[in-house]
């Protein structure tokens, strides 16, 4: 394990996802300063999450065939540029385009950075979890950074939000950490090619149920991410600081949920972890819907973030075991689809919020989460025997050679 390089990549992940978190964190300030409606806000979330998640598998396809280490810094620098331009733009169309640019930068970052992190971490699952949590921690600081930079001085000072990306870009260049990512990608591709020789059976039906579960998970997730601050400040008469704190609590508890989910998965199994996450998330979201005060909502939000992310790692590995012949495809669909579907539906939920209020919208997504819980309860485990056999056969081929 190359701890130094893994630490650098974790830092870039934190900076990259900082900008992913800044998009929803800036939305309340845009509503106050520019008078955007809930529908307009949801359209911006569509630009940020929907396009990014759809483009990400295409970038991954390119990165697999043509490894390019420069995609890592380019990704988070383009994401930062999009956030800065969105804050400085006065037209809604230009703001939408800028946020879409941010989403494209985020999409360009993740595939090559994940390959590089896997090469740096070797066979360690802990290394990959640390890299993943780095992104969640970065996103958790976004609301506070937005409040500190934009809260007092207005969106005109959004250019200051680009400083973390510039600093990390300089660190990346000085460390020359991009060396070896191409070789790591090449060796990974060779391993996958050797493994494909066995062609184990894909369980597309079980994978379809898992995808349906994740789709129903993504809608409440994106809705809470984009509407939580407005729910706290407008419906529950909380302060702007409480609205930002709620977003921070949601993302920070999500990071804790990822780590806790990995620990639980080793002890009670993947299916038990997935079911526990959904079963705990349901009353947490219900508490947010019925919250009588901002303080009550803050507590429910923290529990909701942890519960929703308990199944995160387990769902990815389960998807790969459902499709052992196409593990990259399984990962791309589960990770990319999760945010894209929620982003595509968010404008409709924004229209519902404009017409009936945020309380009705949160009640609607509670029903969607209940459907996700029902789907999660019918998921069944699939042993990783095919994957183990693939790895063993690949090793045998290497020994024979």
């Amino acid at each position: 394990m190359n701890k130094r390089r893994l630490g650098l990549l974790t830092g870039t992940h934190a900076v990259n996802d900082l900008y992913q978190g800044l998009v929803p964190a800036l939305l309340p300030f845009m509503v106050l300063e520019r008078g955007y409606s809930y529908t307009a806000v949801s359209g911006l979330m569509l630009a940020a999450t929907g396009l990014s998640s759809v483009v990400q598998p295409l970038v991954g396809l390119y990165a697999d065939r043509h490894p390019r280490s420069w995609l890592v810094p380019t990704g988070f620098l383009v994401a930062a540029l999009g956030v800065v331009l969105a804050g400085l733009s006065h037209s809604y169309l230009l703001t939408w385009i800028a946020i879409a640019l941010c989403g494209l930068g985020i999409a360009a970052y993740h595939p090559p950075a994940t390959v590089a992190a896997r090469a740096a971490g070797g066979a360690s699952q802990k290394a990959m979890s640390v890299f993943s949590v780095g992104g969640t921690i970065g996103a958790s600081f976004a609301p506070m950074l937005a409040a500190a930079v934009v809260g007092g001085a207005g969106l005109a000072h959004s250019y200051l939000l680009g400083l973390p990306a510039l600093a990390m870009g300089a660190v990346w260049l000085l460390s020359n950490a991009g060396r070896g990512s191409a070789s790591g990608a090449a060796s990974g591709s060779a391993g996958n090619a050797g493994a494909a020789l066995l062609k184990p059976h894909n369980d597309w039906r079980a994978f379809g149920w898992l995808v349906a579960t994740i789709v129903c998970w993504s809608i409440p997730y994106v809705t809470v991410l984009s509407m939580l601050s407005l729910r706290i400040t407008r419906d529950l008469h909380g302060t702007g600081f409480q609205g930002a704190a709620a977003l921070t609590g949601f993302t920070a508890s999500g990071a804790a949920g990822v780590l806790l989910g990995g620990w639980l998965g080793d002890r009670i199994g993947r299916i038990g972890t997935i079911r526990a996450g959904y079963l705990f998330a349901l009353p947490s979201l219900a508490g947010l819907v019925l919250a009588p005060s901002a303080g009550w909502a803050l507590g429910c939000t923290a529990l909701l973030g942890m519960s929703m992310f308990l199944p995160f790692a387990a769902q990815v590995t389960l998807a790969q075991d459902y499709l052992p012949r196409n593990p990259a495809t399984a990962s791309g669909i589960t990770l990319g689809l999760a945010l894209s579907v929620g982003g595509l539906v968010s404008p409709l939920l924004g229209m519902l919020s404009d017409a009936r209020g945020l309380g009705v919208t949160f009640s609607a997504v509670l029903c969607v989460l209940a459907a996700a819980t029902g789907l999660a309860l019918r998921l069944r485990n699939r042993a990783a025997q095919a994957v183990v056999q693939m790895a063993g056969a690949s090793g045998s081929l290497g020994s024979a050679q």
Side-chain angles (χ1 to χ4, degrees):
M1 183 189 301
N2 189 335
K3 293 183 178 180
R4 182 173 178 270
R5 188 167 176 234
L6 179 64
L8 177 65
L9 288 165
T10 302
T12 64
H13 198 189
V15 169
N16 181 78
D17 284 18
L18 169 71
Y19 293 101
Q20 189 171 10
L22 277 172
V23 173
L26 289 174
L27 295 181
F29 299 103
M30 292 182 179
V31 170
L32 292 174
E33 192 170 318
R34 300 175 182 174
Y36 288 162
S37 66
Y38 292 133
T39 304
V41 166
S42 300
L44 295 178
M45 281 302 295
L46 171 62
T49 60
L51 293 179
S52 174
S53 298
V54 170
V55 169
Q56 188 168 321
L58 301 179
V59 176
L61 204 60
Y62 172 79
D64 283 337
R65 296 180 177 180
H66 310 284
R68 298 290 185 268
S69 62
W70 51 261
L71 281 173
V72 173
T74 300
F76 63 75
L77 287 170
V78 170
L81 177 62
V83 166
V84 170
L85 292 178
L88 298 178
S89 301
H90 297 289
S91 135
Y92 179 79
L93 177 59
L94 292 179
T95 301
W96 195 95
I97 293 173
I99 289 182
L101 180 66
C102 173
L104 293 176
I106 292 167
Y109 168 85
H110 278 111
T114 303
V115 171
R118 179 175 299 174
S124 172
Q125 295 300 313
K126 181 179 179 181
M128 286 303 299
S129 68
V130 168
F131 173 75
S132 300
V133 170
T136 308
I137 292 174
S140 70
F141 281 100
M144 294 302 181
L145 179 62
V149 173
V150 177
L155 292 168
H157 284 70
S158 296
Y159 63 90
L160 295 173
L161 298 175
L163 294 179
L166 292 176
M168 182 53 69
V171 171
W172 176 271
L173 290 176
L174 290 174
S175 66
N176 198 23
R179 288 181 179 177
S181 56
S183 61
S187 62
S189 299
N192 290 335
L197 294 175
L198 288 180
K199 296 184 178 180
H201 171 66
N202 284 343
D203 191 344
W204 286 101
R205 182 174 182 179
F207 181 73
W209 284 114
L210 177 60
V211 169
T213 305
I214 295 173
V215 165
C216 292
W217 174 92
S218 72
I219 296 172
Y221 169 70
V222 174
T223 301
V224 171
L225 199 62
S226 59
M227 301 292 187
L228 179 60
S229 289
L230 296 172
R231 168 75 171 160
I232 298 288
T233 55
R234 290 195 170 185
D235 290 2
L236 302 178
H237 310 293
T239 64
F241 177 82
Q242 286 177 316
L247 267 182
T248 298
F250 182 66
T251 51
S253 62
V258 172
L259 294 175
L260 180 59
W263 181 83
L264 282 176
D266 291 336
R267 283 154 181 79
I268 67 173
R270 292 182 298 192
I271 296 300
T273 302
I274 291 172
R275 291 173 178 173
Y278 284 98
L279 288 173
F280 281 113
L282 201 56
S284 301
L285 183 55
L288 184 59
V289 171
L290 301 173
S293 65
W296 179 275
L298 285 171
C300 293
T301 298
L303 292 174
L304 179 63
M306 178 175 290
S307 301
M308 290 194 74
F309 279 89
L310 272 181
F312 189 81
Q315 288 180 157
V316 174
T317 60
L318 185 61
Q320 292 173 339
D321 287 344
Y322 282 156
L323 302 184
R325 296 172 69 180
N326 307 96
T329 300
S331 300
I333 292 175
T334 53
L335 293 175
L337 186 65
L339 285 181
S340 64
V341 173
L344 291 171
V345 174
S346 61
L348 299 177
L349 294 172
M351 296 171 64
L352 178 62
S353 300
D354 285 331
R356 297 299 181 89
L358 287 174
V360 174
T361 299
F362 274 75
S363 298
V365 297
L366 176 61
C367 296
V368 177
L369 185 59
T373 304
L375 291 169
L377 293 176
R378 68 166 294 150
L379 293 177
R380 296 294 181 265
N381 195 25
R382 191 183 195 194
Q385 182 178 1
V387 177
V388 173
Q389 289 175 348
M390 289 162 63
S394 180
S396 299
L397 286 172
S399 300
Q401 291 175 349

